[in-house]
Amino acid sequence: MSPRANDAQRTADAVARHSYGKLVAFLAAQTRDVAAAEDALSEAFAAALATWPQSGCPSNPEAWLMTVARRRLIDGARHRRSGETVAAQLQILAGEPEAVAAPEIPDHRLALMFACTHPAIEEGIRAPLMLQVVLGLDAKSIASAFLTSPAAMSKRLVRAKEKIRQAGISFNIPEREELPSRLDAVLDAIYAAFAEGWSDPGGTDVARRDLTEEVIYLARLMTELLPQSPEVLGLLALMLHADARRSARRDASCEYVPFTEQDIARWDASMIAEAETLLRRACAMGSIGRYQLEGALQSAHVDRRRTGRANWAEVVQLYDALIALADSPVMVVNRALAIAELHGAIAALQSMQALTADTRLAEYQPYWAARAELLAKTGAYDEARDAYGMAIGLERDPAVRNFLLQRQSALPN
Amino acid sequence: MQYLLMTYVNEGGWTQLTPAEQEQGVASYRAYVEALVKANAFVGTNRLQRTSAATTVRAVNGKTQVLDGPYADSKEQLAGYFLIDVPDLDAALAWAARCPATSHGVVEVRPIWDMTA
C-alpha cells in the first residue's frame, strides 16, 4: 500500500470509529430507514477509499462522507421506491440542510440509541442493533459475541431495522415522563453488550476484547450526551471498575486468579480513579438506581482489598438494595457469598434456598460455583463435588474450568 | 430439536499432555456430560478411536474400493460427538461453547434431519 493509500485507510478508519453512528443517525433521522442509511454510508466509505489515495484526504472527511452518502441515499430512494413514497422521501431528503455547509453535523446519536431500544423492538436484539447501527460493527463479530449464528444474527438485525422504518419508531429523545424507563432500556442494552464482552475475561479472543472497549466507548458517549443522568454515570463507573481488573484475572502462566487473590498492583489505578469520581458525581445528584448500586458494590470490593478492612455488612446492604429494586437470581447468588463472610456458609446457603425451584438455574454456572464453595465450607463434600461438577460442565472459559477442577480435587474425601 | 456436536481435534495433542493435564481433560468432559444430563439436553455421546484405525469405503464405477485411513486428511480430525436435544440453535451453540473441545479444537454444530416430519 502506498503511503497515501495508507493515510486514506487510516482516516477512513478513524472516521468510521468516531462518526459512523453520527452519520447513520443524521442520514436516517428523517426517513427512519436505518438500513438505507447504512448502505449509503458504506458506499461512501468505499468511494472514499477509491478516491482519497489519489486526491488526498479532504479537510473535513466527515462532511465529505456525508455529502456522498446523501447523494447515494437520494439515488437509492429513486430506484427502490415508486409513486408517493419516493416523492415523500425525496422531499424529506431535499429538505435537510446541506451537510457540507454546516461546519458541525448535528449529533442525533442519542435519538438513534433510543430508537434501537424502543419497546417495540424485541429485547434480545436491542444490544446487537445498537452495536451495529451506532458503532458500525458487522453482524459476524456481533454474532460471535452473543453466541449465535452469523446468518441468524444478520436476519434478526435486518428485521429490527425494518421494524424501525415500518412501525414509525421516531428518532426522538423521549419526553420527561417517559424518559426514565426508556433510558433504562438503553443502559440495559449497553450493559448486555458489555456482559457478552466479559464472557472472554482472558481477553484471548480479539473480537470480544474489542467489544468491551467499544461498549465502554458507547457508555462514555452516553455520559457526554446526558451528563446530568446519575444512572448513566453509574453504568460507566461499573464497567470501568470491572475492566480495570481485566489483566489481574490471569497470572503469568494464563491461569485464572480469583478476585481475592489478585495482585492489586496489576489493577488499572487510573480507571478505578475515574470510576470513583463518576460514582461521587452520580451520588451528588441524589437519585439512586441499579447501576449506581452495582458500581458502589465494585467500589466496596476494591476498597476492601486495598485497605484490608472487611466491609461485608455494607456489601450485603448494597445487594439487599439491588434485590429490592429488581429481584434477580444473579444478585441473590452474589449476595449469598457476602452473607457467608458475615454469618457463615449455612446462612448463605439458606439465603439461596428460594432459588432451587428456579429451573433456569440448571444452566446458570455462577449458581453452581457459589453453591460448591458454600457446601465445601459446611463440610458437605459429596454435594460440593457434584456442584463443582455442574459448574465445570457449564463453564466456557478453559482457565476457569481448570481452576474449578483444582478446587474440586482439593476437597477431602 | 436434536443437534450433533462434532468435535474435531489435533490427534497428536493428547499424548503431549502431562498425566495431570490428561486427568483434567477427562474430568472436564465428564463434568460436561453431567451438566448436559442434568439440564435434560443429553441424548448420547461417543469418543472415537484415532484415525490410524479408520478405513474408508466407496464404490468407484460399481467397484468397491477400500482404503486405509480417514476420508479427509487434515490436521484436525473427527474425534467424537455429542448428540443433544435443545429448543433451538442458540441453545445448541451455548452447549458447543461449553464443550471442552473448543479449547483444543473445534466443534461443528449440525441439526439432525428430522425423518418423522
Side-chain angles (χ1 to χ4, degrees), chain A residues 218-242:
Chain A
L218 208 55
R220 217 180 267 288
L221 175 68
M222 285 292 287
T223 63
E224 283 158 24
L225 299 172
L226 285 173
Q228 293 309 317
S229 170
E231 276 295 89
V232 175
L233 303 179
L235 176 63
L236 179 58
L238 163 63
M239 294 184 348
L240 288 172
H241 255 310

Side-chain angles (χ1 to χ4, degrees), chain A residues 204-257:
Chain A
T204 43
D205 179 340
V206 178
R208 290 240 163 105
R209 191 176 56 218
D210 287 348
L211 182 64
T212 308
E213 275 163 29
E214 296 283 357
V215 177
I216 289 179
Y217 175 83
L218 208 55
R220 217 180 267 288
L221 175 68
M222 285 292 287
T223 63
E224 283 158 24
L225 299 172
L226 285 173
Q228 293 309 317
S229 170
E231 276 295 89
V232 175
L233 303 179
L235 176 63
L236 179 58
L238 163 63
M239 294 184 348
L240 288 172
H241 255 310
D243 208 38
R245 303 193 299 268
R246 178 158 60 191
S247 65
R249 283 189 184 87
R250 288 290 185 279
D251 65 13
S253 48
C254 287
E255 297 287 328
Y256 170 76
V257 185

